[in-house]
Amino acid sequence: MRGMVYCLLIISILFIVGCVEQENVQEPITTPSPTLTSTPSPTPPTPTPIQTPIPTITPLQTPVTTPTIMPTPKLITFNFYVKETGVLLNGDVYLNGVFLGKALLGKLSVPIDKLSPGIIVFSGIYNNQPYEFEFNLYRSDLELSTINLEVPVDIINRPIFDTSNLDTSVIEEEIFKLVNEERQKNGVKPLRWNDKIRDIAYTHSEDMAINGYFAHTNKKGEGIEDRLMANKIFFIVPGENLYLIESLDNSFDERKIAETVVEGWLKSPGHRSLVLDLDGLYSDAGVGVYFSGADCYVTMDFVSLEFEDEITLDAQYGVFYYLYDPSYPFDYDTKVSIHVESNYPVDIYIVPNQDQFDRYIKGLVFEKIQQYIGTKKLDKEIEAKKGWGLIIGTTNYKTDISINFDYKI
């Protein structure tokens, strides 16, 4: 059976984000506990006491310590059963990836201090077939004493697709390959695989699966820019595509999953624009695939780590490029590989800010970090600080110049 699919994208030029979200979650069904009533037993007749004198005993003056009784934590009982038949289900219960205990005879009681809003995963064996189900636990549910979690009989009788036989790294590489094939068909430079970007994409796929959402922004309100910056990643332009395939079945293998994802993106104008990237914005990317039961979460993150330009300068002219634009919202230095090539010798200066270029064109003394005089080719890797830039000045000839900055993360 072909799975249901969802997809999202995000593209921004330094924090311009667009996203479409869709969720398909099952809210747990709750039933209040039955109210227990009691009937008092008949009162037996009071016997007549025997009139025996009782000696008076003077107690020892020993202080009595009253023990401190700790309050018993409130328990919430979860009931697991088949909806139509009422058959009780046994299995392991997890909340947000943390083991809560085993449900026996369809019941598990958990102290409320061990509970929080999130995703309950319940797995076990039914009719000699393994099953795994997910339920949302909301904050309002924590006010209840009993929560009934029921499973439709047609779903529990459906064989579970075993995703452990699938290789996520193969799926990631296949998605990346298909995206590059589409780019090359349209005359766009292929993306470079980046392990650090892949790890960030994978972490987001995992977070969506574990915490029960499907969106570019996580439960902490963090988007792709936040995730990149949290990992000290320098970038010029970021972008992100998401995809979710629900209820995989035996018709899916690594290749079919990859094709389903990329074909889905290509059918959506927004996602397609990131894949094809006709403006050549992106240089690097990574794909992260995570399985939750029979559901497949896919994140592909795109970043621009490269700047290129081709110019012609008249004789005795100069040009300035930022190596690290001071308007960027980063608080860390970055490595950048500088490549400059020209048909006539040029003078090249690495300077701490644009003010030095203003002094340069006025013929004033200016501050230089490094300089390369009369060169036709420069290949240099530096650790750039915010505000640093590059000055290129021609000598006595009109000069063709190619410039490339490649940022290393």
Side-chain angles (χ1 to χ4, degrees), residues 311-316 340-348 372-378 392-402:
I311 61 171
T312 298
L313 280 185
D314 288 335
Q316 302 296 321
V340 179
E341 196 165 348
S342 60
N343 59 340
Y344 289 103
V346 294
D347 298 335
I348 302 174
Y372 307 89
I373 306 300
T375 183
K376 294 172 67 177
K377 185 175 183 179
L378 174 66
I392 303 175
T394 57
T395 54
N396 299 320
Y397 303 95
K398 186 175 184 178
T399 306
D400 297 325
I401 308 169
S402 63

Side-chain angles (χ1 to χ4, degrees), residues 58-201:
T58 303
L60 297 175
Q61 299 301 311
T62 303
V64 178
T65 303
T66 303
T68 302
I69 300 176
M70 300 299 293
T72 302
K74 174 187 173 183
L75 295 178
I76 293 182
T77 299
F78 296 90
N79 295 319
F80 301 90
Y81 58 91
V82 179
K83 180 179 179 180
E84 290 81 358
T85 65
V87 172
L88 303 179
L89 299 173
N90 300 328
D92 295 333
V93 183
Y94 291 81
L95 175 61
N96 298 330
V98 178
F99 181 64
L100 291 182
K102 288 182 175 291
L104 299 176
L105 297 178
K107 188 182 298 291
L108 175 66
S109 296
V110 183
I112 192 170
D113 58 2
K114 294 185 180 297
L115 299 175
S116 61
I119 299 296
I120 290 177
V121 177
F122 178 55
S123 60
I125 302 293
Y126 180 79
N127 288 343
N128 298 318
Q129 291 287 340
Y131 63 80
E132 182 175 289
F133 299 101
E134 294 184 355
F135 305 91
N136 281 299
L137 183 65
Y138 298 102
R139 187 169 300 280
S140 58
D141 295 329
L142 302 181
E143 300 174 3
L144 303 173
S145 59
T146 302
I147 298 176
N148 293 332
L149 301 176
E150 56 186 21
V151 180
V153 68
D154 61 326
I155 294 179
I156 198 167
N157 284 324
R158 184 186 306 163
I160 291 180
F161 180 54
D162 185 6
T163 58
S164 65
N165 296 322
L166 296 175
D167 189 333
T168 55
S169 64
V170 171
I171 300 171
E172 292 167 354
E173 292 168 4
E174 192 67 24
I175 291 172
F176 188 80
K177 174 186 172 184
L178 292 173
V179 167
N180 268 340
E181 287 176 359
E182 292 298 327
R183 292 170 68 92
Q184 290 175 306
K185 287 178 188 177
N186 289 271
V188 181
K189 185 177 177 180
L191 295 162
R192 300 179 298 192
W193 177 270
N194 191 297
D195 285 334
K196 289 186 178 180
I197 301 303
R198 180 266 170 193
D199 291 344
I200 292 171

Side-chain angles (χ1 to χ4, degrees), residues 159-164 166 248-253 257 291 293-294:
I160 291 180
F161 180 54
D162 185 6
T163 58
S164 65
L166 296 175
L248 291 168
D249 56 38
N250 291 319
S251 69
F252 284 90
D253 58 12
I257 291 174
F291 288 113

